[in-house]
Amino acid sequence: MTTLAPHQFQRIADIAREHWGLHLTDKKVQLVQNRLASFLRKSPFADVDAYLSHLDHEADQEDMLVFFDLLSTNVTSFFREHDHFNYLEREFYTPLERGTLTLPGRAIRIWSAACSTGCEPYSLAMHAMECLPSFSRWDLRILATDLSNSAVATAKEATYPEAMVSGLDKRLVSTYFQRGNGIAPGSVKVAPAVRRLVTVGRLNLMEPWPMKGPFDVIFCRNVMIYFDKPTRERLVNRMHQLLRPGGIFAIGSAETLASLKTDFTTVQASVYRKS
Ligand SMILES: C[S@@+](CC[C@H](N)C(=O)[O-])C[C@H]1O[C@@H](n2cnc3c(N)ncnc32)[C@H](O)[C@@H]1O
């Protein structure tokens, strides 16, 4: 059995904060302990100290990302928090279709930041195709990023257990997902027309970002709960800079910008706009 001594947990929390902005409170001791125990059983490391020493002295980026995966949570689902999609339909796609909102070059740029295994960016792509009857006239591109190697690999593969789409409308599933044809039984794969719209990459939100924007929409949902207040404030303000004026910013419905210093205007619970 692995029991974490306070100084070991503190070392883990320091690494998590330093590299990835994660704020591990004492409430996470049990979770970290359990995940570390099952990792160590299958690893060459004799105990927690040996593993921590490896992380301190020899670990390369891939080793660090294995450790990140032990600490983070990838929970996600298709069309999660549907109110955000409703807002986009009402306040973004409908005005675009009606011509009351115009975009240079008819280019729509969306960023799904901390996209986990890809359900969020693919939902955004399917939703845009549904909301824009004249879809082919638009140049839509969705950037999907996450730090987790395993999440990014799944997002690129775009194959999911059938259970993950069982709650979706049947027409939506038959239009935008594929079965059979080399796809494992019990799995579905996002259709090529949807996948083409999404570029998946690995990005640590704490590091410099290569993209310049401007984005029309940024979804940064259910990740800031893992960061402390100064980290959240910095992140939100960096995203504010990357949005075009009028751009839409959605965070998780359990999250809020209320206590942060930002220039965003609230338009709906957990949805904000840049003035
Ligand atoms: C709970 S998932 C949220 C997924 C999706 N946005 C949603 O709401 O369904 C949180 C994701 O944040 C990612 N994450 C945590 N810290 C990160 C960081 N510093 N940079 C990039 N991604 C990070 C994790 O890998 C994980 O996939």
Side-chain angles (χ1 to χ4, degrees):
M1 204 180 91
T2 304
T3 308
L4 278 180
H7 75 276
Q8 291 172 322
F9 181 74
Q10 190 52 51
R11 182 69 202 118
I12 289 169
D14 288 347
I15 296 173
R17 180 195 298 268
E18 211 176 288
H19 290 263
W20 311 303
L22 301 181
H23 179 55
L24 297 183
T25 62
D26 288 348
K27 287 190 200 135
K28 291 281 162 70
V29 172
Q30 192 62 47
L31 177 98
V32 172
Q33 199 164 279
N34 294 344
R35 289 188 179 179
L36 212 49
S38 82
F39 169 76
L40 288 176
R41 271 197 296 277
K42 291 173 257 156
S43 81
F45 304 104
D47 53 25
V48 175
D49 280 335
Y51 185 45
L52 288 179
S53 162
H54 167 75
L55 292 177
D56 278 338
H57 303 295
E58 307 157 353
D60 60 16
Q61 199 192 29
E62 294 307 304
D63 291 332
M64 294 306 288
L65 288 174
V66 169
F67 184 49
F68 171 76
D69 270 348
L70 286 180
L71 304 179
S72 74
T73 303
N74 296 132
V75 175
T76 189
S77 53
F78 288 103
F79 291 95
R80 184 180 193 183
E81 296 170 3
H82 209 279
D83 278 357
H84 295 156
F85 293 89
N86 294 341
Y87 181 84
L88 282 186
E89 176 170 10
R90 203 175 57 244
E91 304 294 338
F92 185 57
Y93 293 122
T94 303
L96 281 179
E97 271 297 309
R98 289 193 181 142
T100 52
L101 172 67
T102 53
L103 293 174
R106 301 181 71 84
I108 303 171
R109 297 291 178 262
I110 299 179
W111 179 20
S112 167
C115 69
S116 186
T117 52
C119 299
E120 182 175 281
Y122 292 126
S123 300
L124 283 163
M126 293 180 243
H127 182 246
M129 291 168 88
E130 288 287 300
C131 291
L132 295 168
S134 57
F135 184 73
S136 57
R137 293 171 56 222
W138 294 95
D139 164 22
L140 171 76
R141 279 193 242 157
I142 298 172
L143 173 68
T145 64
D146 199 279
L147 175 57
S148 161
N149 263 345
S150 61
V152 164
T154 305
K156 284 187 174 164
E157 181 56 38
T159 304
Y160 303 91
E162 227 162 327
M164 288 190 75
V165 298
S166 61
L168 301 184
D169 181 85
K170 288 206 165 29
R171 185 195 56 81
L172 211 64
V173 177
S174 62
T175 310
Y176 298 114
F177 291 87
Q178 300 175 310
R179 289 188 171 84
N181 255 342
I183 298 159
S187 297
V188 290
K189 185 165 178 128
V190 178
V194 182
R195 293 207 308 272
R196 262 197 295 279
L197 304 172
V198 178
T199 304
V200 182
R202 198 165 59 71
L203 183 73
N204 182 354
L205 291 174
M206 298 303 120
E207 289 178 356
W209 304 336
M211 60 278 188
K212 301 274 174 279
F215 290 99
D216 302 292
V217 177
I218 298 179
F219 271 36
C220 181
R221 306 186 309 163
N222 304 301
V223 61
M224 281 192 283
I225 33 167
Y226 304 112
F227 303 151
D228 63 13
K229 187 177 160 191
T231 308
R232 287 202 301 270
E233 195 164 277
R234 245 188 338 267
L235 180 67
V236 167
N237 286 319
R238 288 174 76 195
M239 290 189 166
H240 185 272
Q241 278 176 12
L242 278 196
L243 279 165
R244 68 164 176 78
I248 296 165
F249 183 57
I251 62 175
S253 55
E255 299 166 321
T256 174
L257 302 188
S259 65
L260 307 183
K261 278 200 211 93
T262 82
D263 290 328
F264 277 116
T265 305
T266 313
V267 288
Q268 177 178 301
S270 62
V271 183
Y272 303 83
R273 286 191 97 137
K274 177 170 174 170
S275 318

